[in-house]
Amino acid sequence: MTPTHATPDPTETNALAETAAALGDLTADAPPTLLDRIVARRITIPAPFLAGAEHRAPGDPDAEPDPAEDLTHLQIAFTDHGVAYLRPGTDTAAFTADFRARFARPLLPADRPPAGLLPALRAGRPGGLRLDLRGLSDFETAVLRAAATIPRGQTRPYAWIAAQAGRPKAVRAVGSALGRNPVPLLIPCHRVTRSDGSPGQYIFGADTKIRLLRAENVNLDEVTDLARHRVHFLASDTTGVVCYPTCHNARRITPAHRHGFATLAEARAAGYRPCRHCRPAVPA
């Protein structure tokens, strides 16, 4: 018996032809930025801060630093939306695995860092550098954006961040949100400290947090001593302004004109107004 062949349906034939043509056009006319919309890029750079001994483990100048706390090199991942992930060290395989586990996105090497990265790292604030914070909740994003406003060499309590994020009672949640910070150092969560004057926890370890703050000339010993005496705010009787102790205005107050307060309410009752720079807004 001679085999028979079904006559092709002209409609199906045309549809297949049109699909093939469309796929061909997509391949031929794909924009040069298409790959960067799909994958992220990674690069390892020397950290532009903390030189020499400041990288060593506290109290032991000969100790090898923990890789998780070694800030001699930084690994950066960035997308077409901005810098998305930052971690210390040089273990590219581990960094890539961590990135893919968190963001489910391929990661390829980059030829150079994104524009503005090095100045932002030196300043310890993003400035004009674009950040890719997609995947965070609205509250987490609000927390990180508040932390990004803290200047180098200054600190703010967790309660201040909660107030700035619009949820003044969510102090514990602030700590969790900071722990999710994908771009520490660019968003300086190390500048958020406990109200008792102690540094608190940090994504790269408490010792690293202390080293970073000391490298920025934060007088942690003075802050701790003030807190021990229940002083969380400093006021000047010459300016009539009350500040957080690490505010640059507070550091200019001479001892003869400096007054300490346990709460902002006490300072206000004494006639002092909140500093416009550090914006104390909640009790310590």
Side-chain angles (χ1 to χ4, degrees), residues 167-241:
R167 290 176 55 185
K169 296 183 179 180
V171 177
R172 288 183 179 274
V174 164
S176 298
L178 293 174
R180 288 263 299 157
N181 182 5
V183 285
L185 302 178
L186 292 172
I187 292 181
C189 53
H190 64 280
R191 296 176 191 155
V192 184
T193 58
R194 292 175 175 167
S195 59
D196 64 2
S198 62
Q201 297 302 309
Y202 184 49
I203 193 170
F204 298 154
D207 289 340
T208 297
K209 185 173 189 175
I210 292 172
R211 290 204 300 275
L212 287 169
L213 291 173
R214 291 195 186 282
E216 296 180 356
N217 296 317
V218 175
N219 192 336
L220 292 174
D221 297 330
E222 180 186 44
V223 171
T224 302
D225 185 62
L226 288 170
R228 188 179 299 119
H229 292 86
R230 297 193 70 252
V231 173
H232 303 296
F233 300 91
L234 294 176
S236 167
D237 61 19
T238 59
T239 64
V241 169

Side-chain angles (χ1 to χ4, degrees), residues 17 37 90 93 106 117 131 145 171 223 252:
R37 297 177 190 175
T90 57
L117 175 63
L131 301 178
R145 294 204 181 282
V171 177
V223 171
R252 291 204 295 255

Side-chain angles (χ1 to χ4, degrees), residues 33-41 77-84 105 130-132 134:
T33 58
L34 179 61
L35 183 61
D36 288 330
R37 297 177 190 175
I38 300 172
V39 306
R41 301 287 182 174
F78 55 97
T79 71
D80 57 330
H81 285 255
V83 176
R105 190 167 185 172
R130 293 195 307 156
L131 301 178
D132 187 351
R134 293 176 297 174

Side-chain angles (χ1 to χ4, degrees), residues 35-129:
L35 183 61
D36 288 330
R37 297 177 190 175
I38 300 172
V39 306
R41 301 287 182 174
R42 62 169 170 77
I43 194 164
T44 302
I45 61 171
F49 49 78
L50 289 182
E54 291 175 347
H55 291 291
R56 296 170 185 157
D60 186 356
D62 298 320
E64 290 294 326
D66 186 322
E69 300 183 6
D70 179 15
L71 297 181
T72 57
H73 289 80
L74 301 175
Q75 297 188 84
I76 315 288
F78 55 97
T79 71
D80 57 330
H81 285 255
V83 176
Y85 200 53
L86 182 154
R87 289 295 183 268
T90 57
D91 189 338
T92 300
F95 178 74
T96 300
D98 289 346
F99 179 85
R100 296 196 67 170
R102 179 163 178 170
F103 299 98
R105 190 167 185 172
L107 196 57
L108 297 177
D111 296 329
R112 57 184 179 274
L117 175 63
L118 296 182
L121 285 168
R122 292 189 187 100
R125 295 170 73 180
L129 180 70

